[in-house]
Amino acid sequence: MAARTGSLRQIFTERSKERLLSRKDFPEMNGNGRHVALSDRVARFCDSVSKFFRGLREMGRSDPRKVVFAMKAGLSLALVSLFIYIKEEQLNKYSIWAILTVVVVFEFSVGATLNKGFNRSLGTISAGGLALGIAELSVLAGKFEELIIVLCIFIAGFCASYVKLYPAMKPYEYGFRVFLLTFCIVLVSGRTSREFFSTAFYRLILIAVGAGVCLFVNIFIYPIWSGEDLHKLVVKNFNGVAASLEGCVNGYLQCVAYERVPSKILVYQASDDPLYRGYRAAVQSSSQEDTLVDFALWEPPHGPYKTFKYPWRSYVKVSGALRHCAFMVMAMHGCILSEIQAPPEKRLVFSNELQKVGTEGAKVLRQLGSKVEKMEKLSTCTDILLNVHEAAEKLQMKIDQQSFLLFNSESWQAARKPKENENPDNLIDLKDNENKQAIDHFPQ
């Protein structure tokens, strides 16, 4: 029995070895298979790298300003890094703060750079002054110096972290971060070297130098303005909604049918559908417009925007009205995407009137976009909506005249047949029975 058990173990061991070494079950164990798998991975990696660089090249071609921005950022860093070679000990020691300022403050547009620079300067000055005062008090406290420093850091961290959550303080959130960083660095580093004033002073000076270099390069070398981007964005949204409106009307009249609604449209993601892409850009641009407005308010007068109090916030109001139109176009596009559709012959009855309304509505949107682009006022002599109202009235008159086409005549007639087939004698008998019952129940 023991010999039989040993032979069974040997058989199972040999079979397991055969399976492990079999090419059919595990081709990766074979040297050739391993080579093929490795070559596939290398090929996929090379394809991803080439795709990445192609994307960078296309990004530079589509918007050359991004290439200019990268060059300006490199130039600013190169200029600030010269402080490393200054022989003055303190400037050389704290020169890293100028480099960090350029890395953090330098932004794509002039308004964003001014915003970041103001927040950093305000946070540094307020934190430096407060830290110097607390440092002097802690030195006078003697043996309670460490306790006062730790307690003040806790209070400053609590207050700054809590206040920056207030909605009105949202534009200054970066300033609160800089405040905390500077406050802690001045207290902690100054305590070890007893150079509170020196730490705060040179940090402030080098941050000012870094911010100044950023502003000089960003303003005087191919400046990029947030206000101009906001202006172009609003004009683009007007034209996009107008194109979507015309496309929806033309698609409805041409009986365009979707075999299957694209999944990206259902989950409201970017899609290649031109009708969807036009109004989606207007709906999705609200956050981008708010950001550009916040940056444009910081920018000095430039180009056609020659006043200090330029009404940048009016762009947000205009975009809000346009967004309401975009929602209407979205509803029209939803009708085209629905499964239940009107027959083509009934659409053709109203085709001229529908086409006129769509054309005039798109014309009004394009005219408004052109006025915004050229920064012109609308003429008070003519009504811009006159043609739209006339086209809508003609469409309503045509609907009234041809209203019988909008009903299902077969189901209507089927519903009327039972009433027509009713026997008048049966109705008379029913009335008599009702009267008789009323008399019986009448009190004696």
Side-chain angles (χ1 to χ4, degrees):
M1 187 67 183
R4 187 176 180 181
T5 304
S7 62
L8 288 174
R9 288 180 180 176
Q10 187 176 3
I11 292 172
F12 284 132
T13 304
E14 291 177 356
R15 288 184 178 180
S16 62
K17 289 182 179 180
E18 291 177 357
R19 289 175 181 175
L20 288 174
L21 298 176
S22 175
R23 290 185 181 180
K24 182 177 181 180
D25 294 336
F26 297 95
E28 295 84 354
M29 299 294 292
N30 185 278
N32 189 19
R34 192 187 304 116
H35 175 71
V36 172
L38 181 60
S39 62
D40 291 341
R41 291 179 183 178
V42 172
R44 285 197 299 268
F45 176 76
C46 294
D47 291 339
S48 61
V49 171
S50 61
K51 184 179 179 181
F52 173 74
F53 283 104
R54 285 197 301 269
L56 290 178
R57 184 179 61 182
E58 292 299 327
M59 182 181 69
R61 288 182 176 179
S62 61
D63 192 357
R65 299 182 307 168
K66 296 180 179 179
V67 179
V68 176
F69 163 73
M71 295 177 63
K72 292 194 299 182
L75 176 62
S76 300
L77 285 172
L79 292 176
V80 170
S81 63
L82 296 176
F83 279 94
I84 301 174
Y85 303 101
I86 294 179
K87 295 182 179 180
E88 208 278 329
E89 182 181 358
Q90 295 296 333
L91 287 178
N92 192 353
K93 179 180 178 181
Y94 295 106
S95 61
I96 188 63
W97 292 112
I99 297 175
L100 288 176
T101 300
V102 173
V103 173
V104 175
V105 170
F106 200 92
E107 293 289 340
F108 186 74
S109 64
V110 175
T113 303
L114 285 169
N115 186 12
K116 276 285 190 71
F118 173 79
N119 276 277
R120 189 168 181 83
S121 300
L122 182 63
T124 301
I125 293 173
S126 58
L130 184 61
L132 287 176
I134 293 174
E136 294 297 330
L137 290 177
S138 64
V139 171
L140 296 177
K143 62 180 181 179
F144 297 104
E145 178 181 358
E146 292 84 358
L147 179 62
I148 292 177
I149 290 177
V150 172
L151 184 61
C152 290
I153 289 176
F154 169 77
I155 295 174
F158 170 79
C159 294
S161 301
Y162 184 74
V163 172
K164 75 178 182 180
L165 297 178
Y166 190 67
M169 295 291 104
K170 185 179 179 181
Y172 307 102
E173 182 180 1
Y174 177 69
F176 283 105
R177 295 181 184 275
V178 174
F179 172 84
L180 287 178
L181 181 64
T182 305
F183 184 81
C184 295
I185 287 177
V186 171
L187 283 181
V188 175
S189 63
R191 187 198 176 286
T192 57
S193 60
R194 295 296 178 181
E195 296 178 354
F196 295 104
F197 180 79
S198 176
T199 303
F201 175 76
Y202 282 103
R203 175 177 166 80
L204 179 61
I205 291 297
L206 290 170
I207 286 177
V209 171
V213 170
C214 291
L215 292 177
F216 179 82
V217 173
N218 219 342
I219 293 176
F220 295 102
I221 301 178
Y222 196 86
I224 301 171
W225 306 100
S226 296
E228 186 176 353
D229 291 343
L230 176 64
H231 186 86
K232 293 180 179 179
L233 178 63
V234 174
V235 174
K236 178 184 176 183
N237 288 340
F238 268 103
N239 295 329
V241 175
S244 295
L245 175 59
E246 278 186 335
C248 286
V249 175
N250 293 333
Y252 181 77
L253 296 178
Q254 295 172 5
C255 302
V256 175
Y258 288 79
E259 295 181 359
R260 185 178 64 86
V261 179
S263 59
K264 290 186 177 181
I265 295 180
L266 291 177
V267 296
Y268 202 62
Q269 293 181 354
S271 176
D272 295 333
D273 190 341
L275 301 184
Y276 172 74
R277 187 170 62 245
Y279 66 77
R280 182 182 181 274
V283 174
Q284 290 289 104
S285 63
S286 58
S287 59
Q288 185 180 1
E289 290 166 0
D290 292 337
T291 303
L292 290 175
V293 165
D294 292 338
F295 293 155
L297 293 172
W298 287 89
E299 294 177 347
H302 58 278
Y305 322 104
K306 298 180 180 179
T307 58
F308 279 97
K309 295 183 178 180
Y310 192 81
W312 294 113
R313 297 191 186 278
S314 299
Y315 283 89
V316 179
K317 297 179 181 179
V318 172
S319 296
L322 176 63
R323 203 166 293 115
H324 182 76
C325 298
F327 290 143
M328 300 296 107
V329 178
M330 183 188 299
M332 295 172 62
H333 192 210
C335 295
I336 298 178
L337 297 175
S338 63
E339 296 181 1
I340 302 175
Q341 298 289 336
E345 58 273 9
K346 292 186 178 181
R347 302 188 198 187
L348 294 177
V349 174
F350 308 97
S351 61
N352 294 331
E353 289 76 11
L354 286 171
Q355 188 73 50
K356 183 67 174 176
V357 172
T359 302
E360 293 298 332
K363 188 184 297 183
V364 169
L365 291 174
R366 289 195 175 94
Q367 186 175 354
L368 291 174
S370 176
K371 292 294 183 181
V372 173
E373 183 179 12
K374 298 177 182 178
M375 303 171 65
E376 298 176 350
K377 293 183 178 180
L378 290 173
S379 176
T380 57
C381 301
T382 58
D383 185 6
I384 192 174
L385 297 175
L386 180 62
N387 294 334
V388 177
H389 290 161
E390 292 179 354
E393 289 176 0
K394 291 180 180 179
L395 176 60
Q396 187 60 51
M397 292 175 60
K398 188 64 173 289
I399 292 174
D400 294 339
Q401 295 172 359
Q402 305 291 334
S403 58
F404 60 90
L405 295 175
L406 303 179
F407 297 96
N408 190 344
S409 58
E410 296 179 357
S411 60
W412 196 6
Q413 292 176 0
R416 294 184 60 185
K417 281 182 180 180
K419 296 182 179 180
E420 295 176 354
N421 294 334
E422 288 178 350
N423 191 351
D425 296 335
N426 295 336
L427 293 176
I428 294 174
D429 294 340
L430 182 60
K431 278 288 184 182
D432 293 340
N433 292 334
E434 291 178 354
N435 294 333
K436 186 177 180 180
Q437 292 177 0
I439 293 172
D440 292 340
H441 290 289
F442 195 83
Q444 296 296 331

